[in-house]
Amino acid sequence: MKLNESVMELKMFLLVLGLLVGTGSPDMGSSQGKCSESLVQGPQTQENRTHTTHSKKPFPVLSFGYDYVRLPFEISLWVLLASLMKLGFHLMPRLSSIVPESCLLIVVGLLVGGLIKLVGEAPPVLESNIFFLYLLPPIILDAGYFLPIRQFTENLGTILMFAVVGTLWNAFFVGGLLYGVCQLEGHRLVTVDLLSCLLFGSIISAVDPVAVLAVFEEIHINELLHILVFGESLLNDAVTVVLYHLFEEFSSVGTITVTDVLLGIVCFLVVSLGGIVVGAIYGILAAFTSRFTSHTRVIEPLFVFLYSYMAYLSAEVFHLSGIMALIACGAVMRPYVEANISHKSHTTIKYFLKMWSSVSDTLIFIFLGVSTVAGPHEWNWIFVVATLIFCLVARVLGVVGLTFVINKFRIVKLTSKDQFIIAYGGLRGAIAFSLVYLLNTDHFPKRNMFLTAIITVIFFTVFVQGMTIRPLVDLLAVKKKQETKRSINEEIHTQFLDHLLTGIEDICGHYGHHHWKDKLNRFNKKYVKKCLIAGERSKEPQLIAFYHKMEMKQAIELVESGGGSKLPSAMPSTVSMQNIQPKKPPQDRALPQLSKAREEEIRKILRTNLQRTRQRLRSYNRHTLIADPYEDGWNEILIKRKKMKELEKKISQMNNYLTVPAPPPDSPTIARARLASGEMAGKNISFSYFYPQAWGLKSATESIPSIKVDLASPQSPESVNIVDEIGMKGSQPKVSEEGGGLTMKVPSPTKPRKDQTTDEDNDKEPQQRLMRCLSDPGPAAEEEDEDEPFLH
Amino acid sequence: MGSTSSTLLKIPNVEVLMQETGFSPAHIIRLHDRFKALDKEGRGHLCPQDFGAIKELAMNPIGDRIIGAFFSPGKETVDFHTFVKILAHFRPVDKDRPKEPNSPEPINSRSNKLKFAFQLYDQDKDGKISRDELLKVLRSMLGMQVTEEQLESIADRTIQEADLDRDEAISFEEFRKSLEKVNIDHKMSIRFLR
């Protein structure tokens, strides 16, 4: 079976390759799409002008006009190739468990490049502006948007040390020693001057985020190491940018003075901080925009992508660090945007980012392989080998030295195992390649040699280090990532401990980590959230949001678990076994039949969630209730379901009464209402709104809500259908309550996060909609922690 | 330094203190200075009002619990020894210390840190966090933003998740188990007190 699959894979691969090669010179980097006239046009126009000079050709039924679509066609073919390769690798699990994907992709690139060369065409090279403008941003945005902020900020000092000091050390060590080697070597290399060597050193010393992500994704290492290496690869971009520009500028001049060095340091600060500021500004803009998108949910993801991309481009305009801008933008906007946008938009953003970054990543590696074949190369044994050795040595020395210093300041120290992984995980990648490619051959006559050396280093790190890191991680028994999700216990206790530590710090009089974090949180809650989050969500504590997410996931799990009758153990044990038979109109027969017990569980969960939505609803306005049936229908369903249940219970209990004078004390709803009304000093509770004939709105003097059910109405109790109220025009009094905990207003931002599937017909049985809602698997079913980036 | 040794001499039983808590002399002096700063009337011990005067602590949702932790049951004042001993819980763990046989567990061990946190939950000191105690904590942390039913359902769920022996309360072992993935050594340490 597996053989057949791989044979099919091979056939597909060859087909695609054939298509690629056969479509003429795939000069992707520089060709422009020529809109040449198709053959269909030609004969006709000619015919119209001159009747006599040409004999009439038969009307061409089918013609071939490739140039018209050439560019998009080739781009699509490349992307298709990349995606098919990715597919193929995962069909061969044995191979993909030994060799990381990046290596396989480079090999594929080499093959494709070789094939193209065999045919006689010039293989395309990874053009730098395509790389920097189109291929790199999605990966970085994906990383930045899903960056685990907590771990990142906790280790920020360490990360900065590695990124800034480590990269500087690497750059000067490699550059300086290479210069020495070049001088010593004699005839061929002596032309390479110090500045060129330093420039080369600075390019090659930067750890590459793309490569690190690609390899570290697969080894599932513990979060600390992951964030250290990955954070370093992101933050060293600023250093690389500054050093690159510094050395490039002055290589033409030939000397560097002390002022230049000082200016360089200032430039570094400007580049990094400027990049962050630009990113933060765009992030805040995006958050602010998302506040108003409740009516145009469809384009919400577009705002996120556009603002982030603009942040990147704006930073690049001023030669600031585009990567840092992108990271800052994503990290800043995320908490606010996620509070504002709909669940579907959230899913869309997540999947688009993953998709784009995945495709980008694949394309980058393939093109790296193809570019290697394309050349131009200049091989110099001494230079290349020296580069390789110095890079490795510099990395190890740098990590060891820095860890020694850092450990004096860290609470949880880095062990030697950690140091080894950090050193070993310093992979180089396509950014270095592209930077060298950008070099001007006039200023740098030895550019081709640099290119060759860089490619060698990249290949070595990706192949050798990438392949061996997984067995080494297992061998050294490095702690792996914990797969389980956070429990509510952890969440509560962690918050508790945060408060505790802040308090202790205050007692000690020490303005430490917790103190500033607490201040920031308070500032955030007081001012920022109010501006950037729409509506009621701005006041929602984080714990509640977490709790609701959990409950929702569980409700969905419950429905999805299908036929099994086992209840999950985390269900609250106080399930109320109200055996209510909801009245099902005939069209309900088609529904999947859930077991009674499960229904109760779902109701219990939904009821508990309902309390939250009930709290937020303020003034009833029929317009707002109807206006957004997709988004807010969920709340409607829950509320109506609840009310209907209570109502039917009442009805079944009391056959003869016309009104319910006082609610029975054990009714949970009313008990809660009483509690709430006790809290809110006896505000009027507008339960009565929802009952079909309950017109009597009592004044605020009543402390107990009265539910009026008029059974003698023309509408028989059997057909009590709460949803009908929506259809009633004008007869419902408007209920507006301010500050009451139990009045109704449909919250404009959507929460809970399950949107109702498109169902305009409010007359359908709420339970039916409920089931349909719950049966939509969505991303929540995948049980993944949204904070973790993945590229599969 | 002459001043340090003279300050040290002024503090009674300072060697015992240093040995019990593991603080260095510099830290003891720093804490002593802080103690004196808090003890505005110079009585040599602290009372709850002195703690209450710390502005940020008043804004802390569990501020009064923390203050309460300093005062052992029945006592109204905190002397310097108790002050230091309580703060010793938050010293970062020394991984390299050789384990002397028969020596008591250091105050800042993971287990003792957790015990301290547990005691803050468990106000009536019965060894368990009951539902009511949990509710009180949740209420103080979440305040007025949440309805009572929500708090109750969260509390129910929390207990259900953690409660392994089904006694509707969280014992210390269950507490410890629910936090086994959290890096307590890191989370409950203040760098300043190294």
Side-chain angles (χ1 to χ4, degrees), chain A residues 409-410 484 487-489 493-494 498-499 506-507 522 541 548 551 554 570-572 611 615 672, chain B residues 34 56 59-61 70 120-121 145 149-150 153 157-158 160-162 181 186-187 190-192 194:
Chain A
F409 298 97
R410 278 182 71 88
T484 50
S487 65
I488 187 112
N489 266 281
H493 297 318
T494 320
D498 276 336
H499 287 303
D506 292 327
I507 291 181
R522 219 170 285 153
H548 281 286
E551 290 279 271
Q554 196 167 40
M571 279 304 302
Q611 294 150 13
Q615 172 213 345
R672 274 193 291 273
Chain B
R34 179 66 182 166
E56 290 88 4
M59 285 199 284
N60 196 318
F70 278 84
L120 284 179
Y121 276 99
Q145 302 153 356
E149 304 92 67
Q150 271 181 287
S153 45
R157 198 195 162 102
T158 310
Q160 222 206 351
E161 241 181 30
K181 291 197 213 104
H186 184 218
K187 194 116 188 81
I190 299 186
R191 219 166 279 157
F192 153 86
R194 187 185 307 273

Side-chain angles (χ1 to χ4, degrees), chain B residues 45-192:
Chain B
H45 52 82
L46 298 174
C47 56
Q49 288 87 318
D50 294 323
F51 282 106
I54 305 175
K55 199 165 40 86
E56 290 88 4
L57 203 54
M59 285 199 284
N60 196 318
I62 54 170
D64 40 1
R65 276 175 197 253
I66 301 176
I67 297 176
F70 278 84
F71 297 88
S72 356
K75 289 191 69 174
E76 295 264 317
T77 59
V78 179
D79 63 352
F80 184 62
H81 271 247
T82 328
F83 185 72
V84 174
K85 277 212 207 123
I86 303 243
L87 288 181
H89 281 102
F90 296 93
R91 256 188 78 229
V93 174
D94 331 289
K95 285 205 180 120
D96 317 323
R97 235 165 58 145
K99 289 212 168 51
E100 299 128 28
N102 302 329
S103 66
E105 212 179 333
I107 299 186
N108 63 342
S109 72
R110 186 177 198 273
S111 177
N112 281 330
K113 285 186 205 272
L114 279 174
K115 274 204 198 115
F116 185 79
F118 188 76
Q119 275 160 9
L120 284 179
Y121 276 99
D122 182 21
Q123 297 282 53
D124 59 2
K125 313 247 182 287
D126 61 352
K128 290 183 194 296
I129 304 177
S130 69
R131 191 169 171 274
D132 284 326
E133 287 167 340
L134 190 60
L135 264 178
K136 276 204 213 103
V137 170
L138 284 174
R139 213 171 286 138
S140 52
M141 284 208 300
L142 296 173
M144 284 291 107
Q145 302 153 356
V146 179
T147 59
E148 190 62 32
E149 304 92 67
Q150 271 181 287
L151 286 179
E152 281 177 19
S153 45
I154 294 180
D156 284 333
R157 198 195 162 102
T158 310
I159 291 191
Q160 222 206 351
E161 241 181 30
D163 192 14
L164 301 165
D165 54 7
R166 308 244 162 258
D167 59 354
E168 305 292 321
I170 305 179
S171 70
F172 178 64
E173 277 312 311
E174 289 159 357
F175 182 71
R176 189 212 292 261
K177 188 149 200 322
S178 68
L179 283 177
E180 63 189 351
K181 291 197 213 104
V182 178
N183 189 347
I184 297 289
D185 297 334
H186 184 218
K187 194 116 188 81
M188 282 189 72
S189 299
I190 299 186
R191 219 166 279 157
F192 153 86

Side-chain angles (χ1 to χ4, degrees), chain A residues 552-572:
Chain A
M552 270 307 168
K553 275 189 184 165
Q554 196 167 40
I556 293 166
E557 276 169 45
L558 208 48
V559 175
E560 287 201 328
S561 59
S565 58
K566 197 161 87 88
L567 301 175
S569 60
M571 279 304 302

